[in-house]
PDB file of all heavy atoms in Angstrom:
ATOM      1  N   VAL E1211       7.858-106.705  44.008  1.00  0.00           N
ATOM      2  CA  VAL E1211       6.639-106.562  44.799  1.00  0.00           C
ATOM      3  C   VAL E1211       6.731-105.392  45.702  1.00  0.00           C
ATOM      4  O   VAL E1211       5.795-104.602  45.853  1.00  0.00           O
ATOM      5  CB  VAL E1211       6.418-107.903  45.583  1.00  0.00           C
ATOM      6  CG1 VAL E1211       5.313-107.654  46.616  1.00  0.00           C
ATOM      7  CG2 VAL E1211       6.057-109.005  44.684  1.00  0.00           C
ATOM      8  N   LEU E1212       7.911-105.144  46.260  1.00  0.00           N
ATOM      9  CA  LEU E1212       8.041-103.936  47.117  1.00  0.00           C
ATOM     10  C   LEU E1212       7.911-102.664  46.248  1.00  0.00           C
ATOM     11  O   LEU E1212       7.339-101.660  46.750  1.00  0.00           O
ATOM     12  CB  LEU E1212       9.425-103.935  47.774  1.00  0.00           C
ATOM     13  CG  LEU E1212       9.559-104.822  48.951  1.00  0.00           C
ATOM     14  CD1 LEU E1212      11.002-104.792  49.455  1.00  0.00           C
ATOM     15  CD2 LEU E1212       8.601-104.484  50.086  1.00  0.00           C
ATOM     16  N   GLY E1213       8.367-102.696  45.025  1.00  0.00           N
ATOM     17  CA  GLY E1213       8.219-101.531  44.173  1.00  0.00           C
ATOM     18  C   GLY E1213       6.696-101.239  43.853  1.00  0.00           C
ATOM     19  O   GLY E1213       6.241-100.164  43.833  1.00  0.00           O
ATOM     20  N   PHE E1214       5.980-102.377  43.572  1.00  0.00           N
ATOM     21  CA  PHE E1214       4.519-102.236  43.307  1.00  0.00           C
ATOM     22  C   PHE E1214       3.809-101.702  44.546  1.00  0.00           C
ATOM     23  O   PHE E1214       2.899-100.934  44.475  1.00  0.00           O
ATOM     24  CB  PHE E1214       3.919-103.553  42.818  1.00  0.00           C
ATOM     25  CG  PHE E1214       4.260-103.895  41.412  1.00  0.00           C
ATOM     26  CD1 PHE E1214       4.880-105.083  41.064  1.00  0.00           C
ATOM     27  CD2 PHE E1214       3.966-102.987  40.371  1.00  0.00           C
ATOM     28  CE1 PHE E1214       5.168-105.417  39.780  1.00  0.00           C
ATOM     29  CE2 PHE E1214       4.219-103.312  39.057  1.00  0.00           C
ATOM     30  CZ  PHE E1214       4.845-104.521  38.745  1.00  0.00           C
ATOM     31  N   ALA E1215       4.227-102.264  45.680  1.00  0.00           N
ATOM     32  CA  ALA E1215       3.559-101.863  46.964  1.00  0.00           C
ATOM     33  C   ALA E1215       3.807-100.346  47.140  1.00  0.00           C
ATOM     34  O   ALA E1215       2.921 -99.652  47.646  1.00  0.00           O
ATOM     35  CB  ALA E1215       4.090-102.666  48.061  1.00  0.00           C
ATOM     36  N   ARG E1216       4.954 -99.912  46.819  1.00  0.00           N
ATOM     37  CA  ARG E1216       5.281 -98.459  47.049  1.00  0.00           C
ATOM     38  C   ARG E1216       4.408 -97.601  46.158  1.00  0.00           C
ATOM     39  O   ARG E1216       4.009 -96.481  46.514  1.00  0.00           O
ATOM     40  CB  ARG E1216       6.790 -98.233  46.801  1.00  0.00           C
ATOM     41  CG  ARG E1216       7.267 -96.880  46.991  1.00  0.00           C
ATOM     42  CD  ARG E1216       7.239 -96.550  48.458  1.00  0.00           C
ATOM     43  NE  ARG E1216       7.819 -95.212  48.620  1.00  0.00           N
ATOM     44  CZ  ARG E1216       7.804 -94.620  49.774  1.00  0.00           C
ATOM     45  NH1 ARG E1216       7.324 -95.219  50.816  1.00  0.00           N
ATOM     46  NH2 ARG E1216       8.264 -93.432  49.888  1.00  0.00           N
ATOM     47  N   THR E1217       4.197 -98.042  44.923  1.00  0.00           N
ATOM     48  CA  THR E1217       3.401 -97.161  44.022  1.00  0.00           C
ATOM     49  C   THR E1217       1.857 -97.268  44.337  1.00  0.00           C
ATOM     50  O   THR E1217       1.116 -96.342  44.133  1.00  0.00           O
ATOM     51  CB  THR E1217       3.535 -97.618  42.527  1.00  0.00           C
ATOM     52  OG1 THR E1217       3.210 -99.062  42.416  1.00  0.00           O
ATOM     53  CG2 THR E1217       4.965 -97.473  42.102  1.00  0.00           C
ATOM     54  N   GLU E1218       1.383 -98.435  44.919  1.00  0.00           N
ATOM     55  CA  GLU E1218       0.005 -98.479  45.282  1.00  0.00           C
ATOM     56  C   GLU E1218      -0.332 -97.750  46.522  1.00  0.00           C
ATOM     57  O   GLU E1218      -1.435 -97.166  46.582  1.00  0.00           O
ATOM     58  CB  GLU E1218      -0.374 -99.982  45.524  1.00  0.00           C
ATOM     59  CG  GLU E1218      -0.550-100.751  44.191  1.00  0.00           C
ATOM     60  CD  GLU E1218      -1.260-102.034  44.400  1.00  0.00           C
ATOM     61  OE1 GLU E1218      -1.761-102.350  45.506  1.00  0.00           O
ATOM     62  OE2 GLU E1218      -1.326-102.791  43.380  1.00  0.00           O
ATOM     63  N   ASN E1219       0.533 -97.690  47.510  1.00  0.00           N
ATOM     64  CA  ASN E1219       0.280 -96.993  48.699  1.00  0.00           C
ATOM     65  C   ASN E1219       1.602 -96.345  49.163  1.00  0.00           C
ATOM     66  O   ASN E1219       2.322 -96.870  49.952  1.00  0.00           O
ATOM     67  CB  ASN E1219      -0.313 -97.934  49.789  1.00  0.00           C
ATOM     68  CG  ASN E1219      -0.871 -97.156  50.958  1.00  0.00           C
ATOM     69  OD1 ASN E1219      -0.636 -95.998  51.099  1.00  0.00           O
ATOM     70  ND2 ASN E1219      -1.530 -97.977  51.848  1.00  0.00           N
ATOM     71  N   PRO E1220       1.876 -95.152  48.689  1.00  0.00           N
ATOM     72  CA  PRO E1220       3.152 -94.485  48.988  1.00  0.00           C
ATOM     73  C   PRO E1220       3.349 -94.196  50.481  1.00  0.00           C
ATOM     74  O   PRO E1220       4.503 -94.015  50.929  1.00  0.00           O
ATOM     75  CB  PRO E1220       3.180 -93.260  48.158  1.00  0.00           C
ATOM     76  CG  PRO E1220       1.870 -93.077  47.566  1.00  0.00           C
ATOM     77  CD  PRO E1220       1.064 -94.351  47.800  1.00  0.00           C
ATOM     78  N   LYS E1221       2.248 -94.138  51.234  1.00  0.00           N
ATOM     79  CA  LYS E1221       2.359 -93.788  52.694  1.00  0.00           C
ATOM     80  C   LYS E1221       2.812 -94.944  53.511  1.00  0.00           C
ATOM     81  O   LYS E1221       3.556 -94.793  54.423  1.00  0.00           O
ATOM     82  CB  LYS E1221       1.085 -93.144  53.170  1.00  0.00           C
ATOM     83  CG  LYS E1221       0.764 -91.830  52.590  1.00  0.00           C
ATOM     84  CD  LYS E1221      -0.470 -91.221  53.236  1.00  0.00           C
ATOM     85  CE  LYS E1221      -0.763 -89.883  52.555  1.00  0.00           C
ATOM     86  NZ  LYS E1221      -1.966 -89.302  53.132  1.00  0.00           N
ATOM     87  N   SER E1222       2.315 -96.122  53.203  1.00  0.00           N
ATOM     88  CA  SER E1222       2.557 -97.291  54.018  1.00  0.00           C
ATOM     89  C   SER E1222       2.728 -98.526  53.129  1.00  0.00           C
ATOM     90  O   SER E1222       1.717 -99.040  52.635  1.00  0.00           O
ATOM     91  CB  SER E1222       1.456 -97.540  55.011  1.00  0.00           C
ATOM     92  OG  SER E1222       1.702 -98.668  55.782  1.00  0.00           O
ATOM     93  N   ILE E1223       3.961 -99.049  53.060  1.00  0.00           N
ATOM     94  CA  ILE E1223       4.140-100.260  52.282  1.00  0.00           C
ATOM     95  C   ILE E1223       3.539-101.470  53.009  1.00  0.00           C
ATOM     96  O   ILE E1223       3.004-102.343  52.400  1.00  0.00           O
ATOM     97  CB  ILE E1223       5.658-100.487  52.075  1.00  0.00           C
ATOM     98  CG1 ILE E1223       6.218 -99.400  51.197  1.00  0.00           C
ATOM     99  CG2 ILE E1223       5.926-101.873  51.497  1.00  0.00           C
ATOM    100  CD1 ILE E1223       7.721 -99.502  50.993  1.00  0.00           C
ATOM    101  N   ARG E1224       3.538-101.397  54.302  1.00  0.00           N
ATOM    102  CA  ARG E1224       2.904-102.468  55.105  1.00  0.00           C
ATOM    103  C   ARG E1224       1.460-102.644  54.809  1.00  0.00           C
ATOM    104  O   ARG E1224       0.973-103.796  54.610  1.00  0.00           O
ATOM    105  CB  ARG E1224       3.067-102.197  56.605  1.00  0.00           C
ATOM    106  CG  ARG E1224       2.584-103.301  57.461  1.00  0.00           C
ATOM    107  CD  ARG E1224       2.748-103.001  58.917  1.00  0.00           C
ATOM    108  NE  ARG E1224       4.161-103.058  59.206  1.00  0.00           N
ATOM    109  CZ  ARG E1224       4.647-102.812  60.403  1.00  0.00           C
ATOM    110  NH1 ARG E1224       3.853-102.483  61.408  1.00  0.00           N
ATOM    111  NH2 ARG E1224       5.891-102.897  60.626  1.00  0.00           N
ATOM    112  N   GLN E1225       0.721-101.574  54.646  1.00  0.00           N
ATOM    113  CA  GLN E1225      -0.717-101.663  54.272  1.00  0.00           C
ATOM    114  C   GLN E1225      -0.903-102.242  52.897  1.00  0.00           C
ATOM    115  O   GLN E1225      -1.807-103.024  52.644  1.00  0.00           O
ATOM    116  CB  GLN E1225      -1.405-100.355  54.466  1.00  0.00           C
ATOM    117  CG  GLN E1225      -1.588 -99.912  55.844  1.00  0.00           C
ATOM    118  CD  GLN E1225      -2.295 -98.574  55.957  1.00  0.00           C
ATOM    119  OE1 GLN E1225      -2.372 -97.836  54.963  1.00  0.00           O
ATOM    120  NE2 GLN E1225      -2.789 -98.236  57.154  1.00  0.00           N
ATOM    121  N   ALA E1226      -0.048-101.833  51.955  1.00  0.00           N
ATOM    122  CA  ALA E1226      -0.104-102.277  50.590  1.00  0.00           C
ATOM    123  C   ALA E1226       0.187-103.800  50.516  1.00  0.00           C
ATOM    124  O   ALA E1226      -0.447-104.484  49.715  1.00  0.00           O
ATOM    125  CB  ALA E1226       0.814-101.489  49.700  1.00  0.00           C
ATOM    126  N   LEU E1227       1.155-104.254  51.290  1.00  0.00           N
ATOM    127  CA  LEU E1227       1.480-105.676  51.258  1.00  0.00           C
ATOM    128  C   LEU E1227       0.397-106.572  51.883  1.00  0.00           C
ATOM    129  O   LEU E1227       0.495-107.796  51.763  1.00  0.00           O
ATOM    130  CB  LEU E1227       2.848-105.883  51.992  1.00  0.00           C
ATOM    131  CG  LEU E1227       4.055-105.426  51.204  1.00  0.00           C
ATOM    132  CD1 LEU E1227       5.255-105.600  52.094  1.00  0.00           C
ATOM    133  CD2 LEU E1227       4.189-106.132  49.906  1.00  0.00           C
ATOM    134  N   ARG E1228      -0.609-105.981  52.522  1.00  0.00           N
ATOM    135  CA  ARG E1228      -1.727-106.776  53.029  1.00  0.00           C
ATOM    136  C   ARG E1228      -2.616-107.226  51.919  1.00  0.00           C
ATOM    137  O   ARG E1228      -3.468-108.094  52.134  1.00  0.00           O
ATOM    138  CB  ARG E1228      -2.500-106.041  54.079  1.00  0.00           C
ATOM    139  CG  ARG E1228      -1.715-105.848  55.335  1.00  0.00           C
ATOM    140  CD  ARG E1228      -2.494-105.206  56.420  1.00  0.00           C
ATOM    141  NE  ARG E1228      -1.646-104.979  57.634  1.00  0.00           N
ATOM    142  CZ  ARG E1228      -1.956-104.068  58.485  1.00  0.00           C
ATOM    143  NH1 ARG E1228      -2.915-103.219  58.362  1.00  0.00           N
ATOM    144  NH2 ARG E1228      -1.132-103.937  59.571  1.00  0.00           N
ATOM    145  N   ALA E1229      -2.532-106.649  50.779  1.00  0.00           N
ATOM    146  CA  ALA E1229      -3.344-107.042  49.595  1.00  0.00           C
ATOM    147  C   ALA E1229      -2.999-108.475  49.266  1.00  0.00           C
ATOM    148  O   ALA E1229      -1.830-108.769  49.149  1.00  0.00           O
ATOM    149  CB  ALA E1229      -3.163-106.138  48.444  1.00  0.00           C
ATOM    150  N   PRO E1230      -3.951-109.353  49.024  1.00  0.00           N
ATOM    151  CA  PRO E1230      -3.654-110.755  48.847  1.00  0.00           C
ATOM    152  C   PRO E1230      -2.689-111.023  47.685  1.00  0.00           C
ATOM    153  O   PRO E1230      -1.751-111.790  47.816  1.00  0.00           O
ATOM    154  CB  PRO E1230      -4.991-111.409  48.553  1.00  0.00           C
ATOM    155  CG  PRO E1230      -5.978-110.488  49.196  1.00  0.00           C
ATOM    156  CD  PRO E1230      -5.427-109.122  49.092  1.00  0.00           C
ATOM    157  N   ARG E1231      -2.883-110.345  46.531  1.00  0.00           N
ATOM    158  CA  ARG E1231      -1.994-110.644  45.395  1.00  0.00           C
ATOM    159  C   ARG E1231      -0.537-110.212  45.706  1.00  0.00           C
ATOM    160  O   ARG E1231       0.417-110.924  45.268  1.00  0.00           O
ATOM    161  CB  ARG E1231      -2.537-109.947  44.131  1.00  0.00           C
ATOM    162  CG  ARG E1231      -2.525-108.488  44.173  1.00  0.00           C
ATOM    163  CD  ARG E1231      -3.177-107.920  42.860  1.00  0.00           C
ATOM    164  NE  ARG E1231      -3.212-106.493  43.008  1.00  0.00           N
ATOM    165  CZ  ARG E1231      -2.285-105.685  42.544  1.00  0.00           C
ATOM    166  NH1 ARG E1231      -1.194-106.157  42.049  1.00  0.00           N
ATOM    167  NH2 ARG E1231      -2.409-104.364  42.649  1.00  0.00           N
ATOM    168  N   LEU E1232      -0.322-109.168  46.423  1.00  0.00           N
ATOM    169  CA  LEU E1232       1.003-108.757  46.698  1.00  0.00           C
ATOM    170  C   LEU E1232       1.612-109.652  47.766  1.00  0.00           C
ATOM    171  O   LEU E1232       2.820-110.024  47.726  1.00  0.00           O
ATOM    172  CB  LEU E1232       1.113-107.321  47.177  1.00  0.00           C
ATOM    173  CG  LEU E1232       0.810-106.259  46.114  1.00  0.00           C
ATOM    174  CD1 LEU E1232       0.896-104.858  46.697  1.00  0.00           C
ATOM    175  CD2 LEU E1232       1.704-106.383  44.981  1.00  0.00           C
ATOM    176  N   ARG E1233       0.784-110.089  48.715  1.00  0.00           N
ATOM    177  CA  ARG E1233       1.224-111.001  49.749  1.00  0.00           C
ATOM    178  C   ARG E1233       1.663-112.341  49.240  1.00  0.00           C
ATOM    179  O   ARG E1233       2.700-112.856  49.554  1.00  0.00           O
ATOM    180  CB  ARG E1233       0.120-111.126  50.802  1.00  0.00           C
ATOM    181  CG  ARG E1233       0.589-111.851  52.044  1.00  0.00           C
ATOM    182  CD  ARG E1233      -0.568-111.813  53.074  1.00  0.00           C
ATOM    183  NE  ARG E1233      -0.262-112.560  54.274  1.00  0.00           N
ATOM    184  CZ  ARG E1233      -1.117-112.859  55.260  1.00  0.00           C
ATOM    185  NH1 ARG E1233      -2.361-112.412  55.096  1.00  0.00           N
ATOM    186  NH2 ARG E1233      -0.782-113.574  56.251  1.00  0.00           N
ATOM    187  N   TRP E1234       0.811-112.861  48.312  1.00  0.00           N
ATOM    188  CA  TRP E1234       1.173-114.155  47.689  1.00  0.00           C
ATOM    189  C   TRP E1234       2.404-114.066  46.814  1.00  0.00           C
ATOM    190  O   TRP E1234       3.255-114.955  46.761  1.00  0.00           O
ATOM    191  CB  TRP E1234       0.023-114.700  46.949  1.00  0.00           C
ATOM    192  CG  TRP E1234      -1.196-115.080  47.785  1.00  0.00           C
ATOM    193  CD1 TRP E1234      -1.116-115.439  49.143  1.00  0.00           C
ATOM    194  CD2 TRP E1234      -2.522-115.120  47.471  1.00  0.00           C
ATOM    195  NE1 TRP E1234      -2.371-115.658  49.610  1.00  0.00           N
ATOM    196  CE2 TRP E1234      -3.239-115.485  48.554  1.00  0.00           C
ATOM    197  CE3 TRP E1234      -3.170-114.804  46.278  1.00  0.00           C
ATOM    198  CZ2 TRP E1234      -4.643-115.621  48.572  1.00  0.00           C
ATOM    199  CZ3 TRP E1234      -4.566-114.961  46.266  1.00  0.00           C
ATOM    200  CH2 TRP E1234      -5.307-115.334  47.392  1.00  0.00           C
ATOM    201  N   SER E1235       2.531-112.937  46.080  1.00  0.00           N
ATOM    202  CA  SER E1235       3.764-112.726  45.276  1.00  0.00           C
ATOM    203  C   SER E1235       5.010-112.643  46.169  1.00  0.00           C
ATOM    204  O   SER E1235       6.043-113.191  45.869  1.00  0.00           O
ATOM    205  CB  SER E1235       3.601-111.474  44.503  1.00  0.00           C
ATOM    206  OG  SER E1235       2.522-111.578  43.663  1.00  0.00           O
ATOM    207  N   MET E1236       4.900-111.943  47.280  1.00  0.00           N
ATOM    208  CA  MET E1236       6.032-111.927  48.183  1.00  0.00           C
ATOM    209  C   MET E1236       6.353-113.247  48.748  1.00  0.00           C
ATOM    210  O   MET E1236       7.582-113.583  48.863  1.00  0.00           O
ATOM    211  CB  MET E1236       5.766-110.900  49.295  1.00  0.00           C
ATOM    212  CG  MET E1236       6.951-110.631  50.222  1.00  0.00           C
ATOM    213  SD  MET E1236       8.258-109.710  49.403  1.00  0.00           S
ATOM    214  CE  MET E1236       7.777-108.114  49.629  1.00  0.00           C
ATOM    215  N   ILE E1237       5.402-114.023  49.142  1.00  0.00           N
ATOM    216  CA  ILE E1237       5.589-115.401  49.655  1.00  0.00           C
ATOM    217  C   ILE E1237       6.231-116.264  48.567  1.00  0.00           C
ATOM    218  O   ILE E1237       7.182-116.999  48.797  1.00  0.00           O
ATOM    219  CB  ILE E1237       4.315-116.000  50.198  1.00  0.00           C
ATOM    220  CG1 ILE E1237       3.886-115.266  51.425  1.00  0.00           C
ATOM    221  CG2 ILE E1237       4.523-117.492  50.510  1.00  0.00           C
ATOM    222  CD1 ILE E1237       2.497-115.643  51.968  1.00  0.00           C
ATOM    223  N   GLY E1238       5.781-116.128  47.325  1.00  0.00           N
ATOM    224  CA  GLY E1238       6.362-116.896  46.226  1.00  0.00           C
ATOM    225  C   GLY E1238       7.814-116.506  45.998  1.00  0.00           C
ATOM    226  O   GLY E1238       8.661-117.408  45.693  1.00  0.00           O
ATOM    227  N   GLY E1239       8.137-115.266  46.032  1.00  0.00           N
ATOM    228  CA  GLY E1239       9.537-114.781  45.961  1.00  0.00           C
ATOM    229  C   GLY E1239      10.412-115.338  47.007  1.00  0.00           C
ATOM    230  O   GLY E1239      11.507-115.788  46.845  1.00  0.00           O
ATOM    231  N   ALA E1240       9.836-115.289  48.235  1.00  0.00           N
ATOM    232  CA  ALA E1240      10.613-115.818  49.358  1.00  0.00           C
ATOM    233  C   ALA E1240      10.805-117.325  49.251  1.00  0.00           C
ATOM    234  O   ALA E1240      11.828-117.854  49.620  1.00  0.00           O
ATOM    235  CB  ALA E1240       9.900-115.500  50.658  1.00  0.00           C
ATOM    236  N   LEU E1241       9.797-118.033  48.699  1.00  0.00           N
ATOM    237  CA  LEU E1241       9.964-119.511  48.505  1.00  0.00           C
ATOM    238  C   LEU E1241      11.049-119.751  47.490  1.00  0.00           C
ATOM    239  O   LEU E1241      11.851-120.696  47.619  1.00  0.00           O
ATOM    240  CB  LEU E1241       8.630-120.110  48.011  1.00  0.00           C
ATOM    241  CG  LEU E1241       7.721-120.577  49.093  1.00  0.00           C
ATOM    242  CD1 LEU E1241       6.309-120.935  48.497  1.00  0.00           C
ATOM    243  CD2 LEU E1241       8.321-121.738  49.848  1.00  0.00           C
ATOM    244  N   LEU E1242      11.085-118.978  46.384  1.00  0.00           N
ATOM    245  CA  LEU E1242      12.167-119.203  45.345  1.00  0.00           C
ATOM    246  C   LEU E1242      13.520-118.888  46.010  1.00  0.00           C
ATOM    247  O   LEU E1242      14.478-119.655  45.760  1.00  0.00           O
ATOM    248  CB  LEU E1242      11.987-118.249  44.200  1.00  0.00           C
ATOM    249  CG  LEU E1242      11.093-118.644  43.076  1.00  0.00           C
ATOM    250  CD1 LEU E1242      10.920-117.518  42.121  1.00  0.00           C
ATOM    251  CD2 LEU E1242      11.594-119.936  42.458  1.00  0.00           C
TER     252      LEU E1242
END
């Protein structure tokens, strides 16, 4: 997910992780 966030918004990963699909994927990984 961090890799995808980096490719979607190379300037700010934090802004890219605000996208719902990336946020839910990150939460799912953290749950696992």
